[in-house]
Amino acid sequence: MAASTLSLLPIPTKTASSLLQPSNPRAVRLSSSLLAGSISLASASLLPRPSVRSAAVVSSLPTAKPERASAEKMPNNEWDRWSLMAIKAFGMAELEARKLKYPKTGTEALLMGILVEGTNEASKFLRAIGITLFKVREESVKLLGKSDLFFFSPEHPPLTDSAQRALDWAVDEKLKSGEDGEITTAHMLLGIWSEKESAGYKILASLGFDDQKASELTKSANKDVVMNSR
């Protein structure tokens, strides 16, 4: 009872202030400096950071031809000038391969990448004839099956031989044409169609794509460039 009574008694102001004063002034200076440091770190994190240019591929895609691999290191080379939409489609193809847990990026993944990018002329052409991303994914699983549940694809799944040949075919055809401009998603799609034994070719054929439609697509092969220049 005495303890309860004492706890209710008022504490003199002088005594209260003495209780609030630290016994070690150095501890105050240390804690203050630490607090100031944390505040400065917090404020620094809010400041805009200088932009850093990424090391992403700018104008070239993988090639199996040594002369092109060396030309890629030269500025303004004339070998592999892919359009921005084609570069994006290739990145989406790698992502689709990873989603399906495939160990490599095949022609079926390149086809899905074109459709995922969505704004290029090749994807518009495919959708116009009823070939959609959902259908291509479904046919890919039917043809190639599903990967093991616990398998994880590499961050950048390497190209299959047929996918690499499809990309090199696209470059070859562009160079043979003698026309200026970049290599587009239409060239990439036609490259997939050129690989008769590939999964991408079989999927396209099963969904109604044929040589006549390939000829129609050839007429608009350079339209990605027009879109990119806007």
Side-chain angles (χ1 to χ4, degrees):
M1 184 67 181
S4 301
T5 305
L6 289 173
S7 65
L8 297 174
L9 294 176
I11 300 175
T13 306
K14 184 176 181 181
T15 305
S17 61
S18 65
L19 290 174
L20 295 174
Q21 292 177 355
S23 59
N24 189 351
R26 292 182 63 189
V28 174
R29 290 196 297 271
L30 180 59
S31 62
S32 299
S33 62
L34 291 174
L35 180 60
S38 63
I39 292 174
S40 63
L41 287 174
S43 59
S45 64
L46 297 176
L47 294 174
R49 296 181 180 180
S51 59
V52 179
R53 295 180 67 86
S54 63
V57 176
V58 175
S59 62
S60 300
L61 293 182
T63 178
K65 299 193 175 184
E67 68 274 15
R68 289 179 185 162
S70 59
E72 286 175 5
K73 301 177 183 178
M74 301 172 60
N76 301 321
N77 71 80
E78 297 297 326
W79 289 105
D80 288 359
R81 293 185 299 157
W82 289 88
S83 71
L84 178 60
M85 291 180 183
I87 297 288
K88 289 180 179 178
F90 179 80
M92 293 298 101
E94 288 187 332
L95 183 59
E96 288 301 307
R98 292 181 64 192
K99 283 181 180 179
L100 293 174
K101 296 188 176 183
Y102 289 160
K104 292 187 176 183
T105 303
T107 51
E108 77 289 340
L110 292 178
L111 179 55
M112 285 186 277
I114 291 171
L115 287 164
V116 171
E117 197 282 328
T119 63
N120 59 79
E121 291 299 316
S123 67
K124 294 176 182 178
F125 183 89
L126 290 173
R127 289 196 299 270
I129 60 176
I131 300 178
T132 64
L133 176 61
F134 177 79
K135 290 180 180 179
V136 172
R137 278 181 182 157
E138 190 176 47
E139 291 298 319
S140 297
V141 173
K142 286 181 182 178
L143 184 64
L144 303 174
K146 295 182 179 180
S147 293
D148 187 87
L149 179 63
F150 299 102
F151 176 80
F152 292 94
S153 301
E155 183 178 358
H156 297 288
L159 289 168
T160 61
D161 291 341
S162 58
Q164 184 61 78
R165 287 193 299 268
L167 294 182
D168 286 332
W169 183 94
V171 177
D172 289 339
E173 289 303 304
K174 176 63 178 179
L175 293 175
K176 286 178 184 177
S177 70
E179 298 177 356
D180 293 331
E182 297 170 316
I183 308 161
T184 67
T185 52
H187 294 111
M188 185 185 292
L189 180 56
L190 292 170
I192 296 170
W193 186 246
S194 72
E195 285 295 310
K196 306 297 184 184
E197 300 300 321
S198 70
Y201 177 92
K202 293 175 183 178
I203 291 168
L204 283 169
S206 69
L207 295 175
F209 195 88
D210 54 26
D211 288 335
Q212 182 180 352
K213 291 182 174 61
S215 298
E216 294 176 15
L217 180 62
T218 303
K219 299 174 184 177
S220 60
N222 292 318
K223 286 194 176 181
D224 274 0
V225 182
V226 177
M227 295 286 291
N228 288 338
S229 63
R230 290 180 182 178

